[in-house]
Amino acid sequence: MIEKRMFESLGHADHGWLNARHHFSFANYYDPERMGWGAIRVWNDDEIGPNSGFPPHPHKDMEIITYVRTGAITHQDSMGNTGRTGAGDVQVMSAGTGVRHAEYNLESETTTLFQIWIMPRASGGAPSWGAKPFPKGERSGKFVTLASGFAEDSDALPIRADARVLGATIKAGESVTHSVGEGRHAYLVPAVGKITIDGEPFNARDGAALSGGQTVTITAIEDAEIVLVDSE
């Protein structure tokens, strides 16, 4: 019901300017047992060196969510959008029929982030991009929806998938719960801090694949920052 994916077991690629860990098969990392989780196709744990980044490259038919853990990332795309997203904040890009974008760390420090790809509910559509700050204090002790494909989540960044990206900060000793609906999939990673999920320990940057039809209790062993995606 809970599959643990320890940080040390993840795919790894060190390009000098980019030190990346892959929770699922990506680029030169291929594991037939880790092709995705439901509609979640990619969860990369990236460390991007100062004054470096990803030059312009294309995407289509993918929802790409970036959760910045430390530092900042500066986005540029072929639609004319530019923006800087700082630690704790989120940007989303719906690639739709096709878009080119670049992501640069223009800071003097290393930027760390989670890049998450979710399959859209339908192909096509005009590409779009957006970003929003999410103060960590506002998600203290509870999950807050950061990005969502559901109309009722009007405060979240919109994505074109039957999915939600959630964030929470919990202090040592505190707990939060999450229910995964029947037929759905959830994937959880503590960005910071040690936690337990139904009593099983997870370190920072370990992954937890949660199956549908269960409610889990997440308890912080030390102050923790959690990112969770609940999808088809």
Side-chain angles (χ1 to χ4, degrees):
M1 298 291 284
I2 302 174
E3 180 187 346
K4 184 174 184 178
R5 299 182 176 179
M6 296 177 65
F7 178 76
E8 294 79 10
S9 76
L10 304 179
H12 186 213
D14 190 345
H15 302 284
W17 65 272
L18 171 67
N19 187 20
R21 295 278 180 168
H22 310 305
H23 286 262
F24 305 109
S25 294
F26 185 84
N28 293 328
Y29 168 60
Y30 175 73
D31 182 342
E33 300 300 316
R34 293 187 175 182
M35 294 304 296
W37 186 241
I40 306 167
R41 178 61 189 85
V42 168
W43 191 308
N44 288 345
D45 181 325
D46 291 342
E47 300 176 2
I48 304 168
N51 300 302
S52 64
F54 301 92
H57 59 281
H59 289 285
K60 67 179 295 186
D61 290 329
M62 192 65 68
E63 303 300 295
I64 300 174
I65 299 99
T66 304
Y67 181 96
V68 181
R69 291 159 39 219
T70 63
I73 198 77
T74 297
H75 169 95
Q76 303 171 4
D77 64 42
S78 55
M79 298 176 285
N81 296 307
T82 61
R84 178 183 180 275
T85 303
D89 299 337
V90 179
Q91 69 171 12
V92 300
M93 187 177 75
S94 294
T97 54
V99 64
R100 291 179 62 83
H101 77 132
E103 306 291 338
Y104 294 115
N105 173 16
L106 301 180
E107 316 300 314
S108 59
E109 61 179 332
T110 297
T111 289
T112 66
L113 54 82
F114 292 145
Q115 186 181 110
I116 300 162
W117 296 11
I118 304 174
M119 299 292 292
R121 64 171 66 92
S123 60
S128 64
W129 174 83
K132 186 174 179 179
F134 289 94
K136 293 181 183 180
E138 294 181 6
R139 45 190 146 117
S140 177
K142 62 181 180 181
F143 278 113
V144 168
T145 304
L146 309 175
S148 173
F150 300 100
E152 60 264 31
D153 297 321
S154 57
D155 291 335
L157 287 162
I159 55 175
R160 301 171 190 167
D162 292 327
R164 288 183 174 93
V165 180
L166 309 171
T169 57
I170 51 177
K171 296 187 180 301
E174 291 183 343
S175 296
V176 293
T177 62
H178 182 75
S179 296
V180 188
E182 292 286 351
R184 293 186 64 80
H185 303 76
Y187 199 80
L188 181 159
V189 181
V192 174
K194 295 181 180 180
I195 63 170
T196 63
I197 305 175
D198 287 351
E200 183 173 358
F202 288 78
N203 292 321
R205 301 162 77 185
D206 289 347
L210 311 177
S211 300
Q214 64 176 319
T215 296
V216 296
T217 299
I218 303 131
T219 301
I221 303 303
E222 55 192 34
D223 290 357
E225 179 182 344
I226 298 166
V227 180
L228 183 152
V229 175
D230 188 308
S231 77
E232 288 186 304

